[in-house]
Each structure stands twice: as C-alpha cells, then as structure tokens.
Amino acid sequence: MAKLIIPSLLQTLYMVFFSTIFSLVIGFPLGVLLVITEKNSIWEKPILNKILNGIINILRSFPFLILMIILFPLSKIIVGKTIGTTATIVPLSIAAAPFAARVIESSLKEVDKGVIELSLSMGATVPQIIFKVLIPEAIPSLIMGITLTIINLIGYSAMAGAIGGGGLGDLAIRYGLYQFKTDIMLVSVIIIILLVQGIQYLGNRLAISVNKK
C-alpha cells in the first residue's frame, strides 16, 4: 500500500504547494486593491472596485470541477498537457485566487482605521500605507487567511482526482471507488484529514507567535 500512498501524497503536496504560491501571487494584489479602492478608502476607485468584485464573484461561483474542465485549453498552453499533477496546478491556482483575494481583503479590513488616518495625516503615500501599515498590522490575520487558502486547495486537489488530477483524491477514486479497495480509500481520506489538521495547527501557532511579537 505504501507504494501507492507515498507517491500520491507527494503529488498532493506538490500540487498544493505550487498552487498556493500562484494563487497568492494573483490573489494578494487583488485583495489589496479591493481594500484600497473601495469608497472612502486611501485610493478610492469605485468603478475599478466594482469590476474587481464582479470578476471575483463570478470566478468563485464556478464549481471547481467545471472550472477545471473549462481551463483545460489554458493548461495545455501553459504546461503542454491537460491531465496530470502539473496540469492541475493551473486550474487549482485560478480557482483559489478569488478565495485568497477575499481572505486577504477580510484580513486587511481588520486594521484599525485610526492607524491609517494617522499615517495619512503624516503624509504617507499609498504604497507606504500598504507596505508599512496595512500588511504589517494584518500579519496574524493574513497568516490565518493563507492557512484557509491552503486547506481549501487540499480539498480542491482531492476533487481534481475525479478527472485525472493525480494525488490522494485520484488514488481514492481509482482504487477505493472503482476497484472497491476500501482500505486504500480510508487511508487516503485519513491522510487528507491529517494534512488539514496539521496545516491548521501550524497556521494557528504561527499566527499566535507573530501576534505576541
């Protein structure tokens, strides 16, 4: 069984690691823009804010499996294939980016507006407020948001197994569902649960540690 479980676990970790990075590369700037462009914010751009909100809401409304199928051509262009662990990173990243944007937005909105107003009164520019006030003040909450994004991606990666995405989800479906090997399915599910619990624990501990400092 280990010969099946270990490669699938490594595939899941590979997918989740890189899709987390790429989804944050896309989602983090979007989250920041959502905060700074809203009404009465530091860079008020209501039209841009509405457009960004609309795009994010549309992408979040797509079921992941449907989005993955729609993005097959894009995966083909970027990585040269539509099925497999590497190809799955493309739809995983795009599916998680809107979620990441929302959690980043939520975290940044928790920053005390008084601190921002004080920075403005002292002549701070928009980039200075973003990088020296908003992000540093929101780090504990941002860590929790990123933790939620990673957990979300673990779930997406398991679903991707239904259409040849590889990883633990693929293993559970191929052997547990189609070949009735319930022991392999059970072990796959347990590992996914342990992954989620481990990521949540580490995220909580890191957020608490940063908050104390």
Side-chain angles (χ1 to χ4, degrees), residues 1-111:
M1 187 185 292
K3 290 181 180 180
L4 294 172
I5 295 291
I6 292 174
S8 296
L9 173 60
L10 292 176
Q11 286 176 353
T12 293
L13 294 175
Y14 168 72
M15 285 189 290
V16 171
F17 177 78
F18 283 103
S19 55
T20 298
I21 292 173
F22 295 137
S23 65
L24 288 174
V25 167
I26 300 168
F28 203 102
L30 287 175
V32 173
L33 282 171
L34 285 170
V35 173
I36 67 172
T37 59
E38 68 180 3
K39 191 175 180 180
N40 299 321
S41 193
I42 58 174
W43 194 55
E44 189 175 335
K45 301 286 181 183
I47 295 175
L48 176 60
N49 189 271
K50 286 181 181 179
I51 292 170
L52 290 175
N53 269 299
I55 292 170
I56 288 170
N57 289 338
I58 290 170
L59 287 173
R60 286 195 68 189
S61 67
F62 270 91
F64 174 66
L65 290 179
I66 295 174
L67 183 64
M68 187 173 176
I69 293 168
I70 291 172
L71 292 173
F72 273 169
L74 183 61
S75 297
K76 180 72 173 178
I77 292 169
I78 294 175
V79 301
K81 50 188 176 180
T82 59
I83 293 176
T85 307
T86 302
T88 304
I89 291 172
V90 176
L92 278 175
S93 303
I94 293 173
F99 180 85
R102 287 301 184 198
V103 296
I104 299 301
E105 177 192 17
S106 178
S107 297
L108 295 178
K109 281 185 174 180
E110 292 178 11
V111 176

Side-chain angles (χ1 to χ4, degrees), residues 104-122:
I104 299 301
E105 177 192 17
S106 178
S107 297
L108 295 178
K109 281 185 174 180
E110 292 178 11
V111 176
D112 187 353
K113 291 189 181 295
V115 178
I116 298 171
E117 290 170 1
L118 179 62
S119 301
L120 284 170
S121 67
M122 295 175 66

Side-chain angles (χ1 to χ4, degrees), residues 164-176:
L168 292 167
D170 179 52
L171 182 70
I173 291 168
R174 276 193 296 121
Y175 288 90

